[in-house]
Amino acid sequence: MLRRTKIVATLGPATDSTESLAAIIAAGVDVTRLNFSHGSAEDHIQRAQQVRDAASAQGRFVALLADLQGPKLRVARFADNKVALKRGQSFTLDANMDKDAGTSDCVGIDYEQLINDVKPGDILVLDDGRIEMEVEQVSDHSIQSRVLIGGPLSNNKGLNKRGGGLSADALTEKDKQDIKTAAKLGADYVAVSFVRTADDMHVARALLKEAGSSAGLVAKIERAELAHDNDALDAVIEASDAVMVARGDLAVEIGDAELVGVQKHIINRARALNKVVITATQMMESMIENPMPTRAEVSDVANAVLDYTDAVMLSAETAVGDYPTEAVEAMVRICIGAERHPSTHTSRHRINESMEQVDEAIALSAMYAANHLEDVHAIICMTETGATPLMMSRIKSSLPIFAFSRHQSTQNRVTMYRGVQTVPFDSESLPNEQTNAQAIAELLERKVVKNGDLVIITKGDYVNAQGGTNTMKIVRVGSDIR
C-alpha cells in the first residue's frame, strides 16, 4: 500500500551525518525542514546540498522547506542562567535593565513594544506555555506581573500573550536576509512565521521573487487573530501555497482547549481552497528520548491523517532526538494504518459547487471517476507546474496520483501533496501520440499496474504548455493505447 500522507522531518545535529540523513530519507521522509531559528546561512546551504545528494543517491525526490524564524519574542538572560518562579510571586519584565542580569524577581526583554501591547489583566505565557503570569501594572519601561503557574525559567525563553494582539511584524530583518539564503540554496518551500494578514504573505512573495526564487510559500498559522477570524484566515490561505498548523505557539495564544477544533477547521479550509496543509509540533515528542511513541501520540498523528492533512511534521524528534529514523518509521506505520480507514477513501469535496477553470473541472472529474469506476488502479497527470495534481489531491481516495513532469522543481514541489507520487518524464522528447503509451509503460515497469487494469490519464492538447490541462482519458493496460 502506497502511503498518501507525506512526512516532513526537521534537520539538525541528529541528522548531520551522511548515514543518519540517508536513513531518514530511506525510512520515508518526503520533505526536509531547515529551521532558520538555529544555525548559520552556511549551515543551511550545506544541509540542503546533503539532502539533494542523499535523495539523488536513492532515486528519490525530497523537497526542502526553509522555515523562517519570525518575530519570536523572548525574555533576556539571567545572571545565573536559570531561575525558579513560584506561584503567587511578583515578577517584572523590564526593557531598561541589563540584558544579562536577570534574577528571580525581574528580567530584561528584547521586544520593547510589548509594553504598549499589554494591559492589566492580560495573561503572559512563557517557555511554550510552561509558565503563566497575569499583568498587574504597566509603566513606561516595565510590566509587573503575578505568577499563576511557576517553574524553572532559563535564558532566552519564548514570550507570548494569551489571546494574541501583539503588533510585531511577521517578517524581521533577519527573515529578509534568510529569504535570500533560501533562494540561494534552492528551497522548494519557504515558511513564514507568525503571519497576521494576507499582506504578510504578499510581502514575502515579492521578496522571494526579488531574490530569484519561485518557491511555494507556507503560512504558519499560530496567531489567535487568524484562529478566531474566518475571513482573515481564508485570505491568508488564498495568499499562500500551503499552510502549517503550528500548534505550539497557536496553543499558547488560544489555549489548549480550543486547539483541536481550530486544527480541524484550518485543515478543512485549506483543502476547500485547494491549498496544501501541514500539521506540526509535538506530534511524537516522547520519541526525542524513547524509541516508541505513546498511544496518545499515535492517536494524534492518526487523527490528523483522518482529517486529511497533506503532511505531518517531526521537529525535535529528528533534529536533536536520539531516535530520528525510528520516529520516521513510526510515523510511516501510523499514516498507513490510518489511511486504511474507509473514511479516507470517499469524498464529497465541492460536490455541490460550480467551477470556473477547465483544468479544475478535469482534475475533479478524474478523481470522481477514479473513485467510482471499478478496476481503476492509478491516475496519471501530465503536469508542468503541479497545479492539476494539487487539485486532484484535495479529493479523498485510496488511488495513487502520479505526477509526470519534466521539471525537477515541479517534482520536488509535489512531494508535499497528499497521495501524489512524482515520476520524471520527458514528454518534450516524445510525439504526442506516444505519450500515453510511454506513461503506462513507466507504471508497468514500476509494477504499479498490470495488464487489464484501468488507468486515468489527464493532460493538455499541448503537453508541455503550462495551465493547459483539458483532457481526460481512461485506458486499459495491455490494449492499443494512444
Side-chain angles (χ1 to χ4, degrees):
M1 179 178 176
L2 285 172
R3 171 173 49 88
R4 301 181 66 79
T5 310
K6 304 307 179 77
I7 294 174
V8 183
T10 304
L11 302 184
T15 56
D16 275 345
S17 73
T18 302
E19 295 76 16
S20 180
L21 180 60
I24 66 167
I25 290 175
V29 168
D30 302 288
V31 181
T32 51
R33 171 178 173 250
L34 303 169
N35 185 359
F36 277 48
S37 295
H38 306 283
S40 64
E42 292 72 23
D43 293 334
H44 300 309
I45 291 170
Q46 181 178 355
R47 283 176 175 154
Q49 188 57 53
Q50 289 171 334
V51 169
R52 296 296 193 213
D53 293 343
S56 177
Q58 296 184 31
R60 294 278 313 281
F61 289 92
V62 177
L64 292 168
L65 166 63
D67 193 340
L68 304 179
Q69 177 175 325
K72 184 74 172 180
L73 312 184
R74 302 179 185 276
V75 299
R77 294 163 296 281
F78 296 93
D80 295 325
N81 296 318
K82 179 187 287 189
V83 298
L85 301 184
K86 298 179 180 178
R87 180 180 178 181
Q89 78 164 81
S90 178
F91 190 75
T92 301
L93 303 171
D94 193 333
N96 282 356
M97 75 176 294
D98 187 330
K99 296 295 189 287
D100 295 304
T103 68
S104 59
D105 296 317
C106 58
V107 71
I109 50 175
D110 59 1
Y111 175 62
E112 297 182 11
Q113 180 61 29
L114 179 66
I115 292 165
N116 298 320
D117 289 344
V118 301
K119 62 184 184 302
D122 284 344
I123 303 298
L124 298 179
V125 185
L126 290 78
D127 194 12
D128 288 334
R130 294 177 178 87
I131 291 175
E132 292 186 7
M133 52 187 67
E134 182 178 357
V135 176
E136 293 188 329
Q137 185 176 338
V138 181
S139 71
D140 290 341
H141 61 83
S142 67
I143 301 167
Q144 182 177 323
S145 304
R146 182 73 53 188
V147 176
L148 303 178
I149 299 176
L153 182 64
S154 55
N155 297 339
N156 303 119
K157 290 300 182 183
L159 168 66
N160 212 324
K161 186 179 83 167
R162 176 68 47 77
L166 299 182
S167 58
D169 291 334
L171 290 167
T172 66
E173 289 304 315
K174 178 184 184 304
D175 294 331
K176 293 173 183 178
Q177 291 301 312
D178 286 342
I179 283 175
K180 295 178 182 178
T181 301
K184 183 176 180 180
L185 60 81
D188 301 294
Y189 290 93
V190 174
V192 182
S193 298
F194 296 99
V195 174
R196 289 190 302 172
T197 68
D199 286 342
D200 292 331
M201 303 310 293
H202 296 319
V203 170
R205 196 174 297 279
L207 290 170
L208 260 180
K209 185 177 180 180
E210 184 180 317
S213 172
S214 58
L217 271 181
V218 181
K220 294 172 68 175
I221 310 300
E222 47 197 336
R223 287 188 182 269
E225 294 92 330
L226 294 182
H228 296 147
D229 187 333
N230 290 340
D231 290 339
L233 174 64
D234 281 4
V236 166
I237 294 172
E238 290 180 315
S240 310
D241 300 293
V243 296
M244 181 189 294
V245 189
R247 303 184 306 177
D249 284 293
L250 180 60
V252 166
E253 290 214 0
I254 68 174
D256 293 338
E258 284 191 58
L259 182 61
V260 173
V262 169
Q263 172 179 313
K264 289 177 179 292
H265 177 66
I266 295 169
I267 292 173
N268 181 61
R269 292 309 302 155
R271 296 191 61 79
L273 295 169
N274 288 335
K275 304 294 183 176
V276 177
V277 56
I278 308 162
T279 304
T281 316
Q282 293 182 330
M283 301 214 80
M284 289 187 164
E285 184 93 342
S286 72
M287 289 197 72
I288 296 172
E289 298 176 344
N290 298 291
M292 292 290 290
T294 66
R295 297 293 181 266
E297 289 166 340
V298 170
S299 295
D300 182 31
V301 174
N303 274 304
V305 172
L306 292 172
D307 287 337
Y308 229 71
T309 189
D310 284 272
V312 285
M313 193 174 97
L314 294 164
S315 299
E317 299 94 332
T318 51
V320 297
D322 294 333
Y323 302 97
T325 304
E326 290 85 349
V328 176
E329 291 171 343
M331 194 163 261
V332 167
R333 290 195 304 271
I334 296 164
C335 289
I336 291 175
E339 288 166 10
R340 291 194 179 100
H341 193 275
S343 67
T344 67
H345 304 162
T346 56
S347 177
R348 296 184 60 81
H349 177 75
R350 300 189 59 183
I351 199 166
N352 297 314
E353 296 181 27
S354 60
M355 287 164 277
E356 297 180 356
Q357 297 173 249
V358 172
D359 57 350
E360 185 173 26
I362 294 294
L364 300 189
S365 298
M367 294 306 296
Y368 284 122
N371 283 343
H372 293 91
L373 178 62
E374 291 185 7
D375 291 334
V376 174
H377 283 73
I379 302 105
I380 291 174
C381 178
M382 308 286 183
T383 183
E384 289 287 293
T385 66
T388 303
L390 170 61
M391 288 184 281
M392 287 180 172
S393 68
R394 303 307 85 190
I395 305 294
K396 292 181 179 180
S397 178
S398 61
L399 295 170
I401 303 162
F402 291 93
F404 280 60
S405 181
R406 61 197 174 108
H407 302 294
Q408 183 166 347
S409 58
T410 299
Q411 293 160 359
N412 289 334
R413 180 79 69 92
V414 303
T415 59
M416 187 88 84
Y417 304 169
R418 179 162 176 154
V420 177
Q421 308 294 323
T422 184
V423 178
F425 190 74
D426 187 8
S427 52
E428 192 174 37
S429 65
L430 295 170
N432 197 30
E433 64 273 13
Q434 295 180 19
T435 304
N436 290 348
Q438 287 295 319
I440 294 295
E442 183 70 35
L443 293 192
L444 279 167
E445 185 177 338
R446 292 170 178 245
K447 295 181 170 50
V448 174
V449 296
K450 62 184 184 304
N451 283 344
D453 291 344
L454 292 179
V455 176
I456 294 176
I457 302 174
T458 66
K459 63 181 183 179
D461 287 337
Y462 302 98
V463 177
N464 300 313
Q466 180 175 331
T469 299
N470 62 2
T471 303
M472 179 180 78
K473 190 169 186 175
I474 303 175
V475 301
R476 192 171 294 277
V477 180
S479 63
D480 184 18
I481 298 172
R482 297 185 183 277

